[in-house]
Amino acid sequence: METEKKTQTAAEQMTDRDLSEQIKKVTKESHVRAENTQLMLSFQKGQVTLAQYKLLLCSLHDIYQALEEALDRNSNHPGVAPIYFPAELARLESIEKDLEYFYGQDWREKIVVPAATKRYCHRLRQIGKENPEFLVAHAYTRYLGDLSGGQILGRIAQKSMGLKSNDGLSFFAFPGVSSPNLFKQLYRSRMNSVELTEEQRNGVLEEAVRSFEFNIQVFEDLQKMLSVSENQLQSSSTHSKPEKSLQLPGTIINTSPLLRMVLGLFVALATVSMGIYVF
């Protein structure tokens, strides 16, 4: 009996030292904050328009471009090599395929991102040069979140936007991963095998919290952009025929409820990517 207790205690201590568990612990408050926002609750209604989804893809493109360029450049770094799975996880090519589907071949000339997205990308490039081991925090929170919620969110997006096929939804697909659950176990074990000094480990944990903050800021900026667009549309409708609803081709905009629901999807995508659901 005593031996069993000692074994259990040793196992618990080992788990407490696992980097993946430590990240979950230090970001717990951020999880709660995100889960209890009105925007997150609005996502349950599962509604998003094509215009807003395209805006989301623009920010995801720049974020993953910065992250994956940093990972590629540091693929042999001891803090990156164990969790470097470009064939299985890389998102940039998929996002670019989606952007081309929605915007056309000249999509690079059309994408727009908020200031917070640019700050997030700057941070990813900075640590890629100065502290490559910190990349594990961003890679873990984004990629495992994508694996956890990708299929569900893909179906919601497809239904909400009335898409007849999976065209435009490549971001949610991981053809190189046959079993998301098994792959996440492998990823966590590789991540926990990364050798870090105490100072480096603390830095990674701080970076994990920072990754949440960057994502929250990105979606707050997206909200501001959408609010500006909403105000412009309302102003336009005021100077047109007041008895008609403001319309886009095939779409009637009921501004406040729709805006909240759209932002709900944005926050859901961000928080899933940060591991809120089933890490």
Side-chain angles (χ1 to χ4, degrees):
M1 186 68 176
E2 187 65 26
T3 301
E4 291 179 357
K5 288 183 178 180
K6 288 181 178 179
T7 301
Q8 181 178 359
T9 300
E12 291 174 350
Q13 290 175 345
M14 185 175 296
T15 300
D16 289 342
R17 290 296 299 170
D18 284 349
L19 186 59
S20 60
E21 292 299 317
Q22 290 180 331
I23 287 180
K24 288 175 64 175
K25 183 176 181 179
V26 299
T27 58
K28 183 177 181 179
E29 182 179 344
S30 299
H31 285 181
V32 174
R33 282 173 51 210
E35 286 177 326
N36 286 280
T37 62
Q38 181 59 46
L39 300 179
M40 187 61 191
L41 297 175
S42 295
F43 170 70
Q44 297 175 16
K45 298 178 182 179
Q47 297 193 15
V48 63
T49 67
L50 180 58
Q52 279 77 24
Y53 179 64
K54 287 161 63 175
L55 183 62
L56 170 65
L57 281 176
C58 292
S59 280
L60 289 176
H61 171 269
D62 282 17
I63 290 169
Y64 277 99
Q65 183 177 51
L67 175 60
E68 292 177 2
E69 284 179 353
L71 290 171
D72 290 345
R73 189 165 50 248
N74 293 282
S75 60
N76 293 321
H77 187 280
V80 174
I83 53 92
Y84 184 65
F85 291 95
E88 293 82 2
L89 297 178
R91 298 290 83 204
L92 185 59
E93 184 176 340
S94 296
I95 295 173
E96 291 183 346
K97 182 179 179 181
D98 291 341
L99 287 170
E100 182 173 349
Y101 175 79
F102 289 124
Y103 285 101
Q105 293 184 349
D106 59 344
W107 61 268
R108 294 182 187 276
E109 301 173 10
K110 299 177 181 178
I111 61 175
V112 179
V113 300
T117 299
K118 296 178 181 179
R119 292 195 298 271
Y120 190 2
C121 295
H122 174 76
R123 177 59 181 174
L124 290 169
R125 294 188 176 101
Q126 179 184 30
I127 62 176
K129 295 176 181 178
E130 301 175 3
N131 302 96
E133 66 276 7
F134 289 2
L135 290 170
V136 67
H138 294 276
Y140 172 69
T141 54
R142 296 212 65 95
Y143 287 130
L144 264 67
D146 294 339
L147 275 173
S148 297
Q151 292 182 338
I152 295 174
L153 290 173
R155 287 195 294 269
I156 291 175
Q158 182 180 35
K159 182 178 180 181
S160 299
M161 294 185 292
L163 299 177
K164 302 302 182 182
S165 68
N166 290 325
D167 291 338
L169 301 172
S170 299
F171 170 72
F172 300 107
F174 288 83
V177 178
S178 58
S179 172
N181 287 335
L182 290 177
F183 187 85
K184 285 187 291 184
Q185 292 177 18
L186 170 64
Y187 195 93
R188 282 191 289 263
S189 67
R190 289 286 193 89
M191 179 179 172
N192 294 334
S193 72
V194 174
E195 295 186 4
L196 299 168
T197 66
E198 197 64 27
E199 181 180 0
Q200 288 174 328
R201 181 176 290 264
N202 290 335
V204 170
L205 297 178
E206 291 175 3
E207 195 66 30
V209 175
R210 189 175 288 112
S211 72
F212 270 84
E213 296 305 318
F214 274 119
N215 278 281
I216 290 171
Q217 291 169 18
V218 166
F219 289 92
E220 286 177 347
D221 267 19
L222 285 174
Q223 178 176 359
K224 293 176 184 177
M225 291 176 67
L226 291 169
S227 296
V228 170
S229 297
E230 179 189 35
N231 292 335
Q232 290 175 341
L233 290 171
Q234 288 177 335
S235 177
S236 176
S237 66
T238 300
H239 293 88
S240 61
K241 297 179 181 180
E243 69 274 10
K244 291 186 178 181
S245 298
L246 180 62
Q247 296 186 8
L248 294 176
T251 304
I252 298 178
I253 299 180
N254 187 351
T255 53
S256 295
L258 179 56
L259 182 61
R260 288 196 298 270
M261 288 184 280
V262 166
L263 290 171
L265 178 59
F266 286 165
V267 173
L269 281 165
T271 51
V272 166
S273 292
M274 294 184 291
I276 280 182
Y277 292 124
V278 286
F279 266 44

